[in-house]
Amino acid sequence: MIRRAVPTEWEVLRTRCELCRACELGKTRTSMVFGVGKTDSPILFVGEGPGQQEDLQGEPFVGAAGKLLDEMLSIIDLGRDNCYIANVVKCRPPGNRDPREEEQAACVGYLYEQIRLIHPKLIICLGRIAAGVLIRKDFRITREHGQWTQKNGVWYTAIYHPSALLRDLNRRPETFLDLLAIRDKVREICPEVYGLMQS
Ligand code: URA
């Protein structure tokens, strides 16, 4: 008798995303970009959607913005091995335009499923699109970046998207402070990430 392994919830979700053609983006993509990192991490970063390099390589944040994101993470002693990184939409919007409302609506259920499975304590939105989806529809990134809000026991904040920081160096000092505040929040809420024990 051939025994087939029962797929995990993660495998089922990934396959559903692979097969998804709920919006136009599914028809033009090269790769579906699911997410990367530690699937039971208390820390989740959410960007908006894959760019050209991500579409080619099938992994989030591997282009120029991704290189900067890795540097931002390393400032606060985080990396792809101790947090999870996902996007609001899993397929590349052509020409790197913003994902449209209907594309976000078609895809966000997969992100909610990822959040349910990861069960993070902190969610850091990268840019206004993720903040608009996960924190508040009318979130203003210029005014509200770095602020914390708690919903259903999960802490949320938003920082400037790394692509915005590549375009506008003036935003980097504020983002540095936001990163330090994220590090403090990690120490407070999930110190085990830094190898610190809760007292
Ligand atoms: N920008 C995003 O928002 N996500 C990626 O994966 C890459 C660039």
Side-chain angles (χ1 to χ4, degrees):
M1 191 172 74
I2 300 170
R3 281 187 202 278
R4 288 207 170 83
V6 178
T8 65
E9 285 195 276
W10 277 106
E11 287 165 344
V12 171
L13 182 58
R14 183 184 280 271
T15 303
R16 283 174 52 209
C17 292
E18 291 285 4
L19 297 175
C20 180
R21 298 291 183 274
C23 77
E24 289 298 307
L25 302 184
K27 298 170 190 159
T28 52
R29 73 179 188 209
T30 310
S31 317
M32 183 280 295
V33 179
F34 186 69
V36 71
K38 189 169 184 283
T39 52
D40 61 353
S41 173
I43 309 166
L44 169 65
F45 287 84
V46 181
E48 59 183 63
Q52 185 181 32
Q53 283 308 313
E54 291 76 19
D55 180 56
L56 291 173
Q57 298 181 44
E59 185 170 325
F61 286 99
V62 288
K67 194 164 172 288
L68 181 56
L69 178 62
D70 285 335
E71 286 169 18
M72 291 159 66
L73 294 179
S74 80
I75 287 173
I76 52 172
D77 299 317
L78 295 178
R80 289 173 191 241
D81 54 346
N82 59 7
C83 61
Y84 197 86
I85 303 172
N87 278 310
V88 171
V89 298
K90 310 239 170 306
C91 300
R92 182 190 181 207
N96 292 351
R97 62 164 170 76
D98 288 349
R100 297 190 176 119
E101 291 271 332
E102 65 272 18
E103 294 159 352
Q104 295 177 35
C107 207
V108 74
Y110 300 127
L111 176 63
Y112 293 148
E113 282 291 294
Q114 288 175 306
I115 294 174
R116 181 180 69 80
L117 293 173
I118 297 168
H119 201 60
K121 293 180 180 164
L122 307 181
I123 298 183
I124 296 113
C125 300
L126 300 168
R128 74 183 159 82
I129 301 247
V133 166
L134 292 177
I135 301 179
R136 221 186 48 253
K137 199 169 169 38
D138 60 351
F139 191 92
R140 300 289 304 268
I141 192 80
T142 42
R143 286 193 207 148
E144 297 179 82
H145 68 85
Q147 295 180 12
W148 290 91
T149 174
Q150 203 182 17
K151 290 200 279 183
N152 302 320
V154 180
W155 283 100
Y156 291 79
T157 192
I159 60 175
Y160 283 116
H161 192 285
S163 301
L165 298 171
L166 287 174
R167 285 192 303 269
D168 186 353
L169 297 184
N170 292 328
R171 291 177 174 175
R172 291 194 184 194
E174 321 167 58
T175 304
F176 181 68
L177 296 180
D178 293 345
L179 288 170
L180 297 185
I182 292 169
R183 187 181 61 185
D184 288 345
K185 203 70 165 177
V186 173
R187 283 189 181 139
E188 178 194 337
I189 305 294
C190 37
E192 69 279 8
V193 171
Y194 288 144
L196 303 170
M197 301 310 288
Q198 230 148 358
S199 56

